[in-house]
Amino acid sequence: QVQLVESGGGLVQPGGSRRLSCRASGEIFDYYTIAWFRQAPGKEREGVSYIRIRAGNSGYAGSLKGRFTISRDHAKNTVYLQMNNLKPEDTAVYYCAASLFLDDDADALRESEYDDWGQGTQVTVSS
């Protein structure tokens, strides 16, 4: 089991940028896949992006590719989500999640693949 703590949320104007952080505890960080999900008010939680920590390969929800970038820092056990050109519809609680047993990247944005979750961080895009 790994503990995850998100940070970096807040209020940002449309067109602005924000970087979220997900810090993981534990000594086997390199073996995990870390993903970002988000849940907007009144909507189901959706996958945003993922990264395999050791290999570095990553993916995005199709609508977000080009505006969001995921990265990781091995030394800090941290995964980042850089969000640019933010829109009001990006307003949501953003969660990071960890999976030790993800087999297929095609499943990487499915909630059911992840066992450990952070508490979430609120991002509000508004003028």
Side-chain angles (χ1 to χ4, degrees):
Q1 190 175 11
V2 63
Q3 281 73 49
L4 304 170
V5 179
E6 302 99 332
S7 61
L11 176 65
V12 60
Q13 292 189 342
S17 297
R18 201 80 179 181
R19 189 179 78 162
L20 305 182
S21 300
C22 172
R23 190 176 190 284
S25 65
E27 298 179 351
I28 57 171
F29 181 62
D30 278 10
Y31 295 95
Y32 279 90
T33 298
I34 304 292
W36 287 97
F37 291 80
R38 68 183 184 181
Q39 188 166 22
K43 295 188 177 181
E44 293 187 353
R45 190 154 53 185
E46 63 175 350
V48 173
S49 181
Y50 74 95
I51 188 165
R52 289 188 183 269
I53 298 303
R54 171 174 270 189
N57 51 300
S58 60
Y60 302 86
S63 61
L64 301 176
K65 194 173 183 179
R67 294 196 298 124
F68 288 16
T69 303
I70 195 168
S71 62
R72 87 279 198 214
D73 184 328
H74 290 269
K76 296 182 179 180
N77 274 20
T78 299
V79 170
Y80 302 100
L81 184 70
Q82 177 67 42
M83 306 183 294
N84 297 327
N85 190 23
L86 283 163
K87 304 175 181 181
E89 52 263 41
D90 295 317
T91 295
V93 178
Y94 284 73
Y95 300 90
C96 64
S99 174
L100 196 54
F101 304 109
L102 180 70
D103 289 327
D104 189 342
D105 280 20
D107 298 325
L109 293 182
R110 295 178 186 271
E111 284 188 61
S112 59
E113 295 294 325
Y114 295 86
D115 299 311
D116 300 302
W117 292 79
Q119 82 287 352
T121 186
Q122 175 73 47
V123 174
T124 302
V125 184
S126 174
S127 55

